[in-house]
Amino acid sequence: MGAYILRRLLLMIPTIVGIMAISFAVIQFAPGGPVEQVIAQLTGEGDSAIDRIAGGGDSVGSAQDFGDPGSSDYRGAQGLDPEFIAKLEAQFGFDKPPLERFGLMMWNYIRFDFGESYFRSIDVIDLIKEKMPVSISLGIWILLLSYVISIPLGIKKAVSDGSRFDVWTSGLIIIAYAVPGFLVGILLIVLFAGGSFLDWFPLRGLTSDNFAELSLFGKIVDYFWHLALPLIALSLAAFATTTLLTKNSFIDEIRKQYVTTARAKGLSERQVLYRHVFRNAMLIIIAGFPGAFITAFFSGSLLIETIFSLDGLGRLGFESIIKRDYPVVFATLFIFSLMGLVVGLISDLVYTWVDPRIDFEKRDVG
């Protein structure tokens, strides 16, 4: 197993480099980069845009400080001095060749140096840490709700396949899966957050303004009071998927010959289910854990964060792409990709824990 883990760790290097290289090529050369963003702000807002970008320290000055206006390849840059455009390119690092920029970026990322946001005057890692509590809160509880509720429900549906309980729960699950989470969120706001009916839940933030003054129990209650509606809106799709996946996996295993043999030996249905079927049926659930983990933490929550005024990684990523804030875009991509690969490795290790018969080293050799 040690050799397998080492191989997987070594394979992460070219995988990360490939992901970053493709993303760099697609995003870095897309129109509307940071220089164009500044130019667009200049044409609409004057020198205040430059002041924000320059950060007050090494100021690039205003367009009028550089003599006669010249021409530029940037859209909308007509009338701006070429020297001014060159200073903007140097400030954003675009005065270097693409390969040199990519190599420098990867060298910094290997050392977990993610630089500073173009437009926020804050280190990228600090910006991510600032937004992380919201995403962690949503991700952890969605994942727990999805697995803690869905797995027992899926097992119950598999055992009672075709019964009235199975039919009506399947109908509810399909409806829950079909309705988009943001529509559920809007409905919850209308019903329970002061929309048109009840005003039971807050509509903004992760905690109340007086959170620091509350007791420990009060803080816990306040925390889940704010999370209740977003979690319900986000967890329905994951809940439905995991439940049906668990049910189908258990049904497939229950129909196999070894289950008939175990019953013939006199084992009870509970012993057959949890001593034999459970271990094999859970393999497919474990296989989907890395994807569920990454999805729960880092994607699919943009609309929910917007609806419930939660400032998390979903909104950060979207705003960074729109603004072409490349340090934030690439840093979050690097971190999330690395986490996905590590979680995938952990998932393989859990495979061997659930079923010791699995040997990844022999599989690789074969």
Side-chain angles (χ1 to χ4, degrees), residues 61-83:
S62 65
Q64 289 80 6
D65 293 336
F66 298 103
D68 295 332
S71 60
S72 173
D73 293 333
Y74 292 104
R75 181 180 301 176
Q78 291 79 8
L80 296 180
D81 191 277
E83 186 178 351

Side-chain angles (χ1 to χ4, degrees), residues 10-215:
L10 292 176
L11 281 173
M12 289 182 186
I13 298 174
T15 303
I16 286 288
V17 172
I19 292 172
M20 298 302 296
I22 294 173
S23 303
F24 184 89
V26 171
I27 297 178
Q28 193 80 4
F29 299 105
V35 175
E36 286 93 335
Q37 295 282 332
V38 176
I39 292 172
Q41 290 178 343
L42 279 170
T43 58
E45 301 180 21
D47 295 343
S48 60
I50 300 179
D51 294 336
R52 290 198 301 273
I53 302 302
D58 185 16
S59 177
V60 295
S62 65
Q64 289 80 6
D65 293 336
F66 298 103
D68 295 332
S71 60
S72 173
D73 293 333
Y74 292 104
R75 181 180 301 176
Q78 291 79 8
L80 296 180
D81 191 277
E83 186 178 351
F84 171 72
I85 301 298
K87 287 201 172 189
L88 279 180
E89 291 177 335
Q91 182 171 339
F92 290 119
F94 289 101
D95 56 332
K96 300 180 180 67
L99 288 178
E100 183 179 347
R101 295 203 307 270
F102 179 74
L104 181 62
M105 180 185 71
M106 292 305 301
W107 170 246
N108 290 332
Y109 284 7
I110 290 173
R111 297 179 290 123
F112 291 94
D113 178 10
F114 300 109
E116 185 176 288
S117 168
Y118 282 161
F119 304 107
R120 292 181 172 91
S121 297
I122 182 175
D123 288 342
V124 173
I125 193 67
D126 292 334
L127 187 61
I128 293 175
K129 289 179 181 178
E130 179 184 315
K131 312 298 182 182
M132 190 69 78
V134 171
S135 295
I136 288 179
S137 296
L138 293 175
I140 286 178
W141 294 113
I142 290 170
L143 207 60
L144 286 177
L145 285 173
S146 173
Y147 278 78
V148 170
I149 297 177
S150 299
I151 291 176
L153 179 59
I155 295 174
K156 174 64 175 177
K157 287 175 62 62
V159 172
S160 57
D161 183 39
S163 67
R164 182 177 300 178
F165 171 82
D166 179 47
V167 171
W168 72 261
T169 53
S170 294
L172 291 178
I173 288 171
I174 292 172
I175 294 173
Y177 183 78
V179 178
F182 73 91
L183 287 182
V184 176
I186 294 173
L187 177 62
L188 292 174
I189 289 173
V190 171
L191 294 178
F192 303 112
S196 300
F197 296 91
L198 304 173
D199 191 8
W200 288 353
F201 294 93
L203 191 56
R204 180 179 297 275
L206 201 60
T207 56
S208 300
D209 294 335
N210 63 336
F211 182 78
E213 304 171 3
L214 300 175
S215 64

Side-chain angles (χ1 to χ4, degrees), residues 148-301:
V148 170
I149 297 177
S150 299
I151 291 176
L153 179 59
I155 295 174
K156 174 64 175 177
K157 287 175 62 62
V159 172
S160 57
D161 183 39
S163 67
R164 182 177 300 178
F165 171 82
D166 179 47
V167 171
W168 72 261
T169 53
S170 294
L172 291 178
I173 288 171
I174 292 172
I175 294 173
Y177 183 78
V179 178
F182 73 91
L183 287 182
V184 176
I186 294 173
L187 177 62
L188 292 174
I189 289 173
V190 171
L191 294 178
F192 303 112
S196 300
F197 296 91
L198 304 173
D199 191 8
W200 288 353
F201 294 93
L203 191 56
R204 180 179 297 275
L206 201 60
T207 56
S208 300
D209 294 335
N210 63 336
F211 182 78
E213 304 171 3
L214 300 175
S215 64
L216 178 60
F217 178 75
K219 289 180 178 179
I220 295 174
V221 172
D222 182 76
Y223 173 72
F224 285 106
W225 185 43
H226 283 75
L227 275 179
L229 297 187
L231 283 180
I232 293 173
L234 273 173
S235 61
L236 288 181
F239 170 81
T241 302
T242 309
T243 300
L244 294 179
L245 184 63
T246 302
K247 175 193 172 182
N248 294 331
S249 178
F250 270 80
I251 288 178
D252 289 341
E253 293 297 324
I254 289 172
R255 293 172 178 172
K256 290 184 178 179
Q257 183 62 42
Y258 74 89
V259 175
T260 303
T261 303
R263 288 170 176 165
K265 291 181 178 180
L267 296 179
S268 66
E269 285 298 317
R270 185 177 182 83
Q271 288 176 321
V272 171
L273 189 63
Y274 290 102
R275 187 180 298 177
H276 298 280
V277 175
F278 185 83
R279 183 177 63 181
N280 295 322
M282 284 302 295
L283 291 178
I284 192 171
I285 309 299
I286 295 172
F289 178 79
F293 178 87
I294 297 299
T295 300
F297 272 80
F298 306 120
S299 65
S301 61

